[in-house]
């Protein structure tokens, strides 16, 4: 129920609600953004299987969204199930909002959640709060409406970054193929040359041994004076063969070193390609999840989007202009985002406080001070804090790190 105020003309104006408001008590204008923002496609399908049947759950994403919205304007099994699910999902936010005792404080807490990307939990906790009057709910509706436009702009930017990443991946594959072909040809040539030199070396060693044995026989015999010139000739030939063997030994070592360098180069290019492919797949998952018909719902399936389960993610370093995009990725993955610029303007004390409160730390090593880097690394090892180092501030590297955090991949140390 709600309080009512009467204007001078006798018109009745709803001002605020007594007690916690239910889903079916919201106006029809609010149901669409609430369902679209607060429920994922996977959650809607599970509710459809539970309340209706498997045939309904296999309908399209848009059909399911419309079905839930149209059936939540009154109290029955579906609306009650959605109400219970949202209360469980956003219990922490409801508790935080429940501590607010005045309308100004309610608006301030709402704005804090919006600024850190927690729009879904903030929307549900605000609209069901007893102090939420009509002007406050209109403010929330307008904010979510404009946020949907910003998400649309972000989708276009994500698609462009994905296109650029795919082009880079194709170029890298071509470069790797050429390098591999060249390396394989070089290795093949070096193998043939090495085999030839080894055969020559074996022949020379055999000849050298024969000459040594012959020299020893001549030395043991009391050869006549006319054999001295032949003996000297054999000694000179032995010295020449020994020098040739030494040259071949050095060449063999050089070819072996070049062969090892070629194999190392091929391995490095292969690892770089694998890293690029992983980052591209992670970015593709976020782009698919962002192509939603209504406020962030996945057009294909939310199963591709990693679930951080409410973890607090701290990003240290990175480009300042990418902070909003990092925040958006963390928000889409059901996480809380915080940032420290790595020592450019933010203080060292603030870094320590953020490290204590974070569940996982992602550090962009291409844009961070030495002091912040070593303080972060030392702190995370001492306190067994999950941390990952990414080589660049690009969105694809950050998306890959988000996927690793959600899947509890071991931390990467540099």
């Amino acid at each position: 129920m709600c309080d009512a105020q009467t204007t001078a003309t006798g018109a009745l104006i709803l001002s605020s609600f007594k007690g916690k408001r239910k889903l079916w008590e919201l106006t029809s204008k609010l149901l669409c953004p609430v369902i679209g923002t607060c429920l994922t496609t996977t959650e809607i399908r599970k509710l459809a299987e539970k309340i209706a049947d498997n045939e309904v759950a296999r309908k399209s994403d848009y059909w399911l969204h419309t079905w839930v919205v149209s059936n939540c304007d009154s109290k029955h099994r579906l609306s009650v199930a959605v109400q219970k699910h949202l209360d469980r999902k956003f219990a922490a936010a409801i508790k935080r909002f429940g501590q607010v005792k005045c309308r100004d404080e309610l608006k301030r807490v709402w704005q804090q959640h919006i600024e850190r990307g927690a729009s879904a939990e903030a929307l549900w906790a605000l609209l069901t709060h007893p102090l939420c009057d009509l002007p406050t709910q209109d403010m929330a509706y307008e904010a979510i409406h404009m946020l949907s436009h910003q998400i649309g702009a972000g989708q276009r930017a994500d698609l462009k970054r994905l296109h650029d990443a795919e082009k880079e991946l194709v170029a890298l594959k071509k470069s790797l193929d050429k390098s591999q072909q060249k390396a394989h040809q070089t290795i093949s040539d070096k193998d043939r040359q090495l085999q030839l030199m080894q055969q020559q070396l074996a022949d020379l060693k055999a000849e050298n041994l024969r000459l040594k044995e012959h020299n020893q026989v001549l030395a043991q015999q009391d050869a006549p004076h006319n054999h001295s010139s032949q003996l000297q000739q054999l000694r000179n030939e032995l010295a020449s063969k020994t020098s040739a063997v030494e040259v071949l030994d050095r060449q063999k070592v050089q070819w072996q070193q070049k062969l090892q360098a070629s194999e190392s180069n091929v391995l490095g290019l292969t690892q770089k390609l694998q890293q690029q492919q992983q980052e591209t797949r992670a970015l593709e998952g976020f782009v698919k999840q962002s192509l939603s018909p209504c406020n962030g719902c996945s057009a294909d399936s939310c199963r591709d989007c990693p679930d951080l389960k409410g973890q607090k993610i701290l990003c240290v370093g990175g480009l300042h202009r990418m902070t909003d995009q990092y925040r958006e990725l963390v928000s889409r993955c059901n996480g809380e985002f915080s940032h420290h610029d790595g020592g450019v303007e933010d203080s060292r004390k603030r870094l320590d406080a953020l490290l204590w409160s974070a569940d996982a730390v992602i550090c962009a090593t291409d844009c961070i001070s030495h002091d912040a880097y070593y303080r972060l690394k030392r702190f995370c090892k001492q306190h067994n804090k999950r941390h990952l180092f990414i080589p660049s501030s690009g969105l694809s590297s950050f998306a890959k790190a988000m996927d690793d955090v959600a899947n509890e991949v071991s931390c990467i140390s540099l």
Side-chain angles (χ1 to χ4, degrees), residues 20 23 33-40 43 82-98 113 116-129 144 295 307 309-310 331-336:
K20 188 174 181 296
L23 176 64
V34 167
I35 299 302
T37 302
C38 300
L39 286 177
T40 66
E43 292 170 339
V82 173
Q83 172 81 30
K84 291 181 179 180
H85 176 78
L86 292 178
D87 284 344
R88 288 194 301 269
K89 181 178 180 180
F90 301 125
I94 293 173
K95 183 178 180 181
R96 288 194 294 270
F97 275 73
H113 281 68
R116 64 183 178 85
S119 57
E121 61 184 63
L123 180 62
W124 179 248
L126 177 73
L127 293 179
T128 57
H129 196 279
I144 295 299
N295 295 325
D307 185 7
K309 300 177 181 178
S331 175
R332 291 180 191 174
C333 296
N334 192 25
E336 295 186 12

Side-chain angles (χ1 to χ4, degrees), residues 16 35 54 58 67 83 88 90 162 177 180 193 204 225 234-235 265 268 298 310 314 320 345 348 350 357 363 381 386:
S16 64
I35 299 302
N54 291 334
R58 287 193 291 269
W67 176 69
Q83 172 81 30
R88 288 194 301 269
F90 301 125
L162 177 60
D177 290 341
Q180 286 180 332
Q193 293 177 4
L204 287 173
H225 179 70
L234 290 173
R235 288 176 177 173
N265 185 37
S298 173
L314 170 61
H320 187 269
E345 296 180 357
R348 296 172 60 183
R350 183 172 181 268
S357 63
C363 175
K381 287 187 176 180
R386 296 196 65 229

